[in-house]
Amino acid sequence: MRIAGTLADVTASRLYDALTGLPNRTLMLDRIERAIARARRKSELIFALLVVSLDRFEVLQTQISEREIRTILATAGKRLQQLMRTADTVARLEGPNFAIHLDEIRHVSDARRVAGRVAEALGAPIELAGREFRLSTSIGIALSVTGYERPEDIVRDAFVAMNQARSGGGNRQEMFDQKMQSEVELRMRLEADLRRALERDEFQVFYQPIVSLETWRISGFEALVRWRHPERGLVSPAEFIPVAEETGQIVPIGEWVLRESSRQMKCWQDEHPELDLSISVNLSGRQVAEPDLVDTVARVIDETGLRPGSLKLELTETLLMHHYEGAIQKMHHLRDMGIKLSIDDFGTGYSSLSHLHRFPIDFLKVDRSFVGRVGQDARESEIVKVIVGLGRNLGMQVIAEGVETSEQAGFLRDLECEYGQGYYFARPLDAEAAGALLPHAVRPVESEEGIFLVPRVVDPPVASS
Ligand code: C2E
Ligand code: MG
Ligand code: MG
């Protein structure tokens, strides 16, 4: 008898969330599966799935204790449970996410009305250790009329709608619609294409010059990956890198970029030994989290014969904050090998000023959002000035990204910012065009097709006082 009791317990705990006592994702999926089957037999039956997520939960977690968090989640679960009819199911998914299955609604507006009541119920104050908390929620709604075959799909779509509500600032509800539908399809196709892109050799590295603001010579290039999609043409990394990060594809892609650009740079160095060129390669958070990052870099250096001192790895500020301890250790290892490290997009991550000196960093890259407004906005110029000074005080060299005008280049040179990178000097170029710039000192020239670096025939401008 006792053994039988224990078995029943285990089964139940596989279907219910321990903290709130609510059904969990598995049980919810089972209920939806049945609802899909019923709707298939009687097509006039509509059901809805709501995904309810507490806003700014990550922030809350850093502010109150684990126990208080658990109380808040349990309270939210209880309030949701009280709202529902018996035929409906409330489940706790992972983290701050709940799901509500509304069985047999008559009209789409019913789902919206329930979502409104949910927001209201969870928004009522929660008393905790003498403090009062008010929760706001982002709610995504998906309806069975979309014609789902698998329960996972309606959950996914409700999540897409919830994320839409969240990125709209939270404290709102969104219905999954046609537009989101086509975005999901696009995204799934992109993921599938991305998985095949490496073996099909569809990636190409472009090189953007990094120019010394003192000598006006090219000091090196940043390697920027491009994807030649067989149907869509050139796809921007801003579009596919985030997807590749999520799926993990960025790890092999990033290694390929590192190897290819190191190989190319070694060729350029052999052709122009007098130029002392370096190559900058972006690293993503996923790569930094890989246990064998340091080995991979060492292997590439070994295979390509590149001098470690001419390799600069770029890490963003946000990445460093997310992978704090692990990143610092690996950075020291890379530094010990002679590799240089840059902090990329500086100023856009959340304030890491107090931690900055703990990172072993050689270069600081001022984000182009600041540099781009130099000359238009006095305050922005002031910020650039402060960042350049900060870098200098921490013993780093500073690279300004996104230099687009001669005015900006002049302003930065007067600040004694060491390097500039941007359309004013050159856009990212394929290896052939980039290599063609090398034998000469260069100067930017404007033409109808844009601004190009050309062999320099005059001296660099003298600094204005
Ligand atoms: P990033 O590392 O900050 O690279 C600089 C981006 O600014 C590049 O965009 C470059 O084309 C653009 N840019 C340069 N000068 C100017 C300018 O004067 N004006 C403007 N408006 N933009 C300028 P791109 O090539 O589209 O790359 C975007 C981002 O994608 C990169 O930002 C980087 O974070 C990521 N990325 C690119 N290649 C790789 C890669 O191989 N691995 C990883 N992990 N990320 C990469
Ligand atoms: Mg970069
Ligand atoms: Mg950048």
Side-chain angles (χ1 to χ4, degrees), residues 205-206 208 222-226 236-238 240-242 245 250 253-254 257-258 281-285 287 314 316 344-345 365 367-368 401-404 408 421-424 426-428:
V205 183
F206 273 45
Q208 187 175 33
E222 175 169 6
L224 294 161
V225 68
R226 298 289 179 265
S236 145
F240 72 84
I241 296 273
E245 294 216 352
I250 190 65
I253 296 172
V257 172
L258 178 65
V281 181
N282 294 285
L283 284 190
S284 91
Q287 288 172 279
E314 298 193 357
T316 63
D344 201 357
D345 303 345
K365 298 189 80 170
D367 190 69
R368 64 170 188 263
E401 298 187 274
V403 181
E404 291 186 352
Q408 290 162 356
Q421 174 183 355
Y423 296 169
Y424 176 58
R427 292 183 179 258

Side-chain angles (χ1 to χ4, degrees), residues 46-50 102 105 107-112 141-148 154 157-158 175-176:
I46 312 179
F47 65 89
L49 185 74
L50 277 58
L102 299 178
I105 56 173
H107 196 267
V108 175
S109 62
D110 294 347
R112 282 205 175 278
I141 307 169
L143 296 168
S144 60
V145 288
T146 308
Y148 293 100
I154 189 170
D157 288 356
M175 184 88 71
F176 185 78

Side-chain angles (χ1 to χ4, degrees), residues 94-384:
E94 47 294 308
N97 302 324
F98 295 86
I100 301 170
H101 168 226
L102 299 178
D103 201 31
E104 301 193 14
I105 56 173
R106 270 171 321 232
H107 196 267
V108 175
S109 62
D110 294 347
R112 282 205 175 278
R113 203 166 320 121
V114 173
R117 288 214 308 271
V118 164
E120 203 179 286
L122 294 188
I126 298 178
E127 197 87 38
L128 250 188
R131 279 190 292 173
E132 200 175 80
F133 290 89
R134 278 175 198 277
L135 303 174
S136 80
T137 46
S138 297
I139 303 177
I141 307 169
L143 296 168
S144 60
V145 288
T146 308
Y148 293 100
E149 304 259 319
R150 300 184 314 162
E152 293 85 359
D153 293 346
I154 189 170
V155 175
R156 180 200 62 212
D157 288 356
F159 260 98
V160 169
M162 183 278 284
N163 280 320
Q164 190 85 13
R166 159 138 321 147
S167 50
N171 193 20
R172 69 189 67 204
Q173 46 166 282
E174 290 285 349
M175 184 88 71
F176 185 78
D177 60 15
Q178 205 54 52
K179 187 161 154 278
M180 291 184 216
Q181 169 84 36
S182 42
E183 274 163 22
V184 166
E185 277 162 18
L186 205 68
R187 160 81 191 227
M188 289 196 320
R189 208 169 316 138
L190 195 72
E191 273 180 30
D193 291 350
L194 205 49
R195 273 194 291 275
R196 287 185 289 261
L198 250 189
E199 58 198 64
R200 293 188 183 173
D201 208 16
E202 289 169 3
F203 292 112
Q204 185 179 359
V205 183
F206 273 45
Y207 299 90
Q208 187 175 33
I210 297 176
V211 175
S212 158
L213 294 180
E214 193 191 341
T215 63
W216 237 241
R217 280 174 178 269
I218 294 179
S219 73
F221 297 95
E222 175 169 6
L224 294 161
V225 68
R226 298 289 179 265
W227 179 16
R228 288 193 184 284
H229 190 282
E231 288 130 40
R232 295 179 54 194
L234 224 50
V235 185
S236 145
E239 185 178 350
F240 72 84
I241 296 273
V243 179
E245 294 216 352
E246 252 175 64
T247 63
Q249 278 297 308
I250 190 65
V251 175
I253 296 172
E255 183 176 340
W256 180 84
V257 172
L258 178 65
R259 180 171 288 108
E260 174 59 20
S261 56
S262 299
R263 186 197 60 74
Q264 179 62 66
M265 180 43 73
K266 175 73 170 114
C267 292
W268 283 329
Q269 287 177 343
D270 289 347
E271 277 171 51
H272 311 283
E274 73 290 353
L275 290 184
D276 193 25
L277 297 166
S278 63
I279 184 79
S280 301
V281 181
N282 294 285
L283 284 190
S284 91
R286 282 295 270 267
Q287 288 172 279
V288 173
E290 284 290 293
D292 59 357
L293 169 76
V294 177
D295 293 339
T296 303
V297 175
R299 203 171 51 241
V300 169
I301 294 235
D302 195 51
E303 284 168 16
T304 57
L306 187 71
R307 193 168 47 77
S310 56
L311 176 61
K312 298 179 190 166
L313 297 176
E314 298 193 357
L315 303 98
T316 63
E317 195 184 351
T318 316
L319 178 165
L320 292 179
M321 297 316 289
H322 276 136
H323 302 272
Y324 198 62
E325 290 303 332
I328 290 187
Q329 210 187 22
K330 285 173 191 163
M331 289 165 82
H332 279 293
H333 280 144
L334 293 166
R335 260 277 206 78
D336 290 345
M337 291 161 56
I339 290 164
K340 302 278 195 294
L341 300 174
S342 308
I343 188 160
D344 201 357
D345 303 345
F346 187 78
T348 58
Y350 40 119
S351 168
S352 57
L353 285 184
S354 55
H355 299 295
L356 195 58
H357 70 278
R358 287 199 54 201
F359 297 117
I361 297 277
D362 307 277
F363 296 92
L364 187 156
K365 298 189 80 170
V366 189
D367 190 69
R368 64 170 188 263
S369 57
F370 304 111
V371 177
R373 286 191 294 248
V374 162
Q376 294 166 26
D377 184 336
R379 273 177 314 182
E380 226 61 52
S381 310
E382 208 49 47
I383 291 176
V384 170

